């Protein structure tokens, strides 16, 4: 059972929309906000650190944790598993922090079935063309993966109305400030 001392904030948005840059800025501006570190079976990208960006796990280890019910939610996305550790989030909430979950839409909808009063924010790109350009320019994925991520992006953007708030990422600084505003105003009303 979760201790709801802090607030859970779900932030989603299609791959390539700029979530990492925006969230880095959000976290640097508000020390009471902490990012949940998910587990994944995908391989680390250049520069990613185990325990900081993700807990990078083999599939059998991930399945074991899943069978032990240790994930608050999980998803299978573009060939890999991703999951939110219930213990990780709970210990942050217990210490009074507000916790950001950077998860996909499927994860958000399953969390909604378990928890009330989750603040949800969807980050959208200015357009699908801009998103495609960003995905290609960052050079992290092969063309086939980019095509898959773009297809997934269209599906996700169609479902963004299920979120409490939606913010367009034209400019990461402005987007970060808008997200902080949303969080501040939401907390005032609690
Ligand atoms: P990436 O491979 O680009 O780091 O992440 C791919 C997608 O998985 C992103 O949309 C990201 O938000 C989502 N994701 C990362 N961790 C989790 C998680 O723990 N649960 C869910 N449901 N999605 C996640």
């Amino acid at each position: 059972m979760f201790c709801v001392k802090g607030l859970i904030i779900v932030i989603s948005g299609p791959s390539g929309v700029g979530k990492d840059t925006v969230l880095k800025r959000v976290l640097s501006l508000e020390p009471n906000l902490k990012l949940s570190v998910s587990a994944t079976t995908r391989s680390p990208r250049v520069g990613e650190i185990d325990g900081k960006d993700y807990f990078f796990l083999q599939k059998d280890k991930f399945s074991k944790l899943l069978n032990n019910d240790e994930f608050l939610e999980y998803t299978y996305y573009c060939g890999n598993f991703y999951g939110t550790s219930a213990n990780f989030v709970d210990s942050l909430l217990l210490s009074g922090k507000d916790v950001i979950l950077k998860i996909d839409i499927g994860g958000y909808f399953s969390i909604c079935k378990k928890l009330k009063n989750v603040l949800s924010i969807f980050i959208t790109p200015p357009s699908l063309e801009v998103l495609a350009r960003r995905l290609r320019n960052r050079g992290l994925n092969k063309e086939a993966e980019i095509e898959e991520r773009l297809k997934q992006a269209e599906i996700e953007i169609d479902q963004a109305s299920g979120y409490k708030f939606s913010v367009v990422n034209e400019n990461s600084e402005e987007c970060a400030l808008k997200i902080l505003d949303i969080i501040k105003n939401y907390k005032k009303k609690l």
Side-chain angles (χ1 to χ4, degrees):
M1 189 57 204
F2 269 81
C3 162
V4 273
K5 227 172 142 188
L7 175 68
I8 291 186
I9 302 148
V10 169
I11 302 214
S12 305
S15 178
V17 78
K19 293 186 293 279
D20 289 339
T21 311
V22 169
L23 288 183
K24 202 169 159 199
R25 187 67 180 135
V26 166
L27 293 163
S28 76
L29 291 169
E30 181 44 74
N32 201 52
L33 282 172
K34 294 288 169 206
L35 187 64
S36 162
V37 178
S38 294
T40 183
T41 58
R42 95 155 155 71
S43 309
R45 295 181 187 132
V46 177
E48 283 185 328
I49 299 168
D50 188 36
K52 182 171 174 277
D53 297 290
Y54 280 106
F55 293 104
F56 294 100
L57 305 181
Q58 299 297 320
K59 279 201 174 120
D60 55 348
K61 173 77 178 165
F62 193 98
S63 305
K64 208 167 155 192
L65 295 177
L66 189 59
N67 291 335
N68 289 344
D69 209 17
E70 294 199 26
F71 291 121
L72 178 58
E73 62 72 40
Y74 78 100
T75 196
Y76 185 71
Y77 173 90
C78 294
N80 289 295
F81 287 99
Y82 296 80
T84 301
S85 158
N87 279 339
F88 192 95
V89 173
D90 204 21
S91 59
L92 286 172
L93 292 175
L94 270 167
S95 67
K97 303 291 181 194
D98 297 323
V99 184
I100 293 183
L101 310 186
K102 187 187 63 166
I103 61 177
D104 76 344
I105 278 205
Y108 167 55
F109 290 136
S110 48
I111 280 199
C112 286
K113 289 184 199 142
K114 288 189 181 174
L115 302 174
K116 282 191 199 132
N117 209 22
V118 170
L119 169 57
S120 58
I121 305 171
F122 192 88
I123 305 180
T124 55
S127 68
L128 276 173
E129 289 70 31
V130 171
L131 186 69
R133 201 162 55 235
R134 285 184 189 164
L135 276 170
R136 293 198 169 95
N137 285 348
R138 73 180 188 174
L140 294 175
N141 306 99
K142 297 185 184 115
E143 188 54 30
E145 288 169 351
I146 291 176
E147 293 296 333
E148 196 181 355
R149 283 175 183 243
L150 283 172
K151 262 191 228 150
Q152 186 63 27
E154 280 193 65
I155 297 169
E156 291 179 11
I157 292 167
D158 277 350
Q159 297 182 64
S161 58
Y163 283 65
K164 288 182 176 145
F165 297 89
S166 168
V167 181
V168 180
N169 184 17
E170 287 263 4
N171 167 293
S172 56
E173 181 69 17
E174 283 169 19
C175 185
L177 294 177
K178 276 187 204 154
I179 288 175
L180 281 171
D181 248 20
I182 290 171
I183 296 172
K184 229 183 277 167
N185 289 329
Y186 189 85
K187 283 184 66 106
K188 264 192 222 154
K189 291 181 192 147
L190 286 179

